Amino acid sequence: MNRNTFNEILLRVYKSGLSIQSNTARTFDQEIAAMASSGLITTKEAPHTYGRIWRITEEGLGLLREEGYL
């Protein structure tokens, strides 16, 4: 998994969200899975409510800051 690709996808999620069924999500399914399992992105909108858009978490924002993307 390429770190730059990982960070670019995370930045895209931050800027505009990413549909769970988009071509990008399908192409980079392993990266998306790694981000979700690491707590960097989520589809959670409220307690017990999940949507269809990947969104960045506070941990994800922290990583983007550490990597110099923000």
Side-chain angles (χ1 to χ4, degrees):
M1 187 178 321
N2 182 333
R3 188 171 188 91
N4 288 333
T5 302
F6 189 89
N7 289 334
E8 291 294 329
I9 295 167
L10 189 57
L11 183 62
R12 181 173 175 174
V13 171
Y14 167 67
K15 288 183 175 180
S16 60
L18 185 65
S19 171
I20 61 172
Q21 292 183 337
S22 69
N23 287 335
T24 302
R26 289 178 178 161
T27 300
F28 298 103
D29 59 343
Q30 291 180 350
E31 289 83 356
I32 296 293
M35 288 179 210
S37 65
S38 298
L40 302 175
I41 61 174
T42 187
T43 59
K44 191 170 187 174
E45 295 177 348
H48 310 291
T49 306
Y50 295 87
R52 301 180 60 78
I53 303 292
W54 288 111
R55 302 194 188 282
I56 198 162
T57 63
E58 288 185 38
E59 291 83 5
L61 283 173
L63 178 65
L64 286 179
R65 286 187 185 106
E66 287 176 17
E67 295 289 323
Y69 281 82
L70 297 179

